[in-house]
Amino acid sequence: MAHPLLLESIWFDRHRVEDAERIYQEKLASQHAGLVIEGTGLAVGLAVENNLVGELKSRLCAVEKENKDLKKVTQDLQAAVSKLQEKVSALEKSQTSGGAAPKPAAAAPAKKEEEDEDDDDDDDDDSDIDLFGSDAEEDEAAAKLKEERLKAYQEKKAKKGPGPVAKSNIVLDVKPWDDETDMEDVEAKVRSIEMDGLKWGASRLVPVGYGIKKLQISCVVEDEKVGTDLLEEQITAFDDLVQSMDVVAFNKV
């Protein structure tokens, strides 16, 4: 006869099976967690790598832009240096050609040389004459000879006549104090200046700014009698109307 327990459907090893199942599930869970952590780390690493690549690209772009700017500045500097060299070369050529040109003084007319020789002869003649002789009893022959030589010298000087008068054409800027200054009065004051060797010419009003106009007037002067300093002194004397005077052009006539 069989044992009674064999006939009962009782699971005596259930706790062992459950323990084995629990251990198995724990292993599966730990493996899954490890895969998740590894995937997360890989994702973080990829993100960091992408950020580094983006930063490197931006830096490379900035360096390329700086290189382009530096290249452009270098090209501009090279162009400026080339232009400067061309100007210097042209100036040297003009100076060389000007230095090689014949000088007008070297081709002076023979007449001028003869006149200079005559002047030297006259000076020698004058030096030979003792106008302040210490001999109180000078004879008439020496006195007569002296008078004749002086007379001949004066006649020769008179024949030569005076040389050409050096003249200059000057353009002046006369500036008023403000826009309320009567420029017709200013011009009248300037033209009222009269002196030997001065002749006033054409004039006009030139806008300066803010409604102010300056008087631009020309004149012809004899260099030995009238100078720019004298003109400035005379014009700026009208200090109630005139602020300053400038020389715009100065040309020999």
Side-chain angles (χ1 to χ4, degrees), residues 44-108:
V44 171
L46 290 175
V48 172
E49 184 177 358
N50 290 332
N51 290 334
L52 291 175
V53 170
E55 186 177 356
L56 288 174
K57 286 183 178 180
S58 62
R59 290 185 179 181
L60 287 174
C61 291
V63 170
E64 289 178 355
K65 184 177 180 182
E66 290 179 357
N67 289 336
K68 289 180 180 179
D69 295 338
L70 290 174
K71 186 176 181 181
K72 183 178 179 182
V73 171
T74 304
Q75 292 176 351
D76 294 340
L77 289 174
Q78 290 177 349
V81 170
S82 299
K83 291 182 179 179
L84 183 60
Q85 290 177 348
E86 292 176 358
K87 290 182 179 179
V88 171
S89 300
L91 183 60
E92 290 178 350
K93 289 180 180 178
S94 63
Q95 290 179 350
T96 304
S97 61
K103 297 181 179 180

Side-chain angles (χ1 to χ4, degrees), residues 104-116:
K111 184 178 178 181
K112 183 178 172 81
E113 294 179 358
E114 293 177 357
E115 291 177 356
D116 293 339

Side-chain angles (χ1 to χ4, degrees), residues 19 73 87-88 95 106 119 140 151 163 166 171 178 227 243:
D19 291 340
V73 171
K87 290 182 179 179
V88 171
Q95 290 179 350
D119 292 340
E140 293 182 2
K151 185 177 181 181
V171 180
D178 50 34
Q243 179 186 8

Side-chain angles (χ1 to χ4, degrees), residues 66 104-105 116 130 149 164 180 186 228:
E66 290 179 357
D116 293 339
D130 187 8
R149 288 184 178 181
E180 297 180 357
V186 172
T228 55

Side-chain angles (χ1 to χ4, degrees), residues 178-179 208-213:
D178 50 34
D179 58 340
V208 177
Y210 302 100
I212 301 175
K213 294 182 179 180

Side-chain angles (χ1 to χ4, degrees), residues 12-250:
F12 292 99
D13 296 333
R14 180 176 180 179
H15 65 283
R16 294 180 180 177
V17 173
E18 289 178 351
D19 291 340
E21 180 69 19
R22 179 176 55 76
I23 292 170
Y24 175 72
Q25 293 296 333
E26 289 178 353
K27 288 183 178 181
L28 288 178
S30 63
Q31 290 178 357
H32 180 69
L35 291 174
V36 171
I37 292 172
E38 183 178 359
T40 304
L42 181 61
V44 171
L46 290 175
V48 172
E49 184 177 358
N50 290 332
N51 290 334
L52 291 175
V53 170
E55 186 177 356
L56 288 174
K57 286 183 178 180
S58 62
R59 290 185 179 181
L60 287 174
C61 291
V63 170
E64 289 178 355
K65 184 177 180 182
E66 290 179 357
N67 289 336
K68 289 180 180 179
D69 295 338
L70 290 174
K71 186 176 181 181
K72 183 178 179 182
V73 171
T74 304
Q75 292 176 351
D76 294 340
L77 289 174
Q78 290 177 349
V81 170
S82 299
K83 291 182 179 179
L84 183 60
Q85 290 177 348
E86 292 176 358
K87 290 182 179 179
V88 171
S89 300
L91 183 60
E92 290 178 350
K93 289 180 180 178
S94 63
Q95 290 179 350
T96 304
S97 61
K103 297 181 179 180
K111 184 178 178 181
K112 183 178 172 81
E113 294 179 358
E114 293 177 357
E115 291 177 356
D116 293 339
E117 290 178 358
D118 293 340
D119 292 340
D120 294 338
D121 294 338
D122 295 337
D123 294 338
D124 293 338
D125 295 340
D126 294 341
S127 62
D128 294 338
I129 300 173
D130 187 8
L131 298 178
F132 304 98
S134 59
D135 191 358
E137 298 178 356
E138 187 178 21
D139 57 0
E140 293 182 2
K144 187 176 181 180
L145 180 61
K146 181 170 60 177
E147 291 177 0
E148 289 177 356
R149 288 184 178 181
L150 286 174
K151 185 177 181 181
Y153 175 75
Q154 292 175 356
E155 288 177 356
K156 185 179 290 187
K157 288 291 185 181
K159 288 180 180 179
K160 292 182 180 180
V165 179
K167 294 183 179 181
S168 300
N169 185 12
I170 305 175
V171 180
L172 305 175
D173 273 354
V174 182
K175 299 177 183 178
W177 287 104
D178 50 34
D179 58 340
E180 297 180 357
T181 304
D182 188 356
M183 297 307 296
E184 293 182 358
D185 190 14
V186 172
E187 182 176 359
K189 294 288 187 182
V190 172
R191 291 185 182 276
S192 67
I193 299 173
E194 296 180 355
M195 60 183 74
D196 187 21
L198 171 64
K199 184 178 180 181
W200 294 108
S203 64
R204 63 171 182 167
L205 295 179
V206 180
V208 177
Y210 302 100
I212 301 175
K213 294 182 179 180
K214 63 182 179 181
L215 173 66
Q216 192 170 91
I217 186 169
S218 63
C219 62
V220 177
V221 300
E222 295 183 12
D223 296 343
E224 294 184 356
K225 298 179 180 179
V226 182
T228 55
D229 294 337
L230 181 58
L231 288 174
E232 183 176 6
E233 181 181 353
Q234 294 287 333
I235 292 174
T236 54
F238 305 113
D239 53 1
D240 56 335
L241 299 173
V242 177
Q243 179 186 8
S244 63
M245 187 213 80
D246 296 321
V247 177
V248 180
F250 192 103

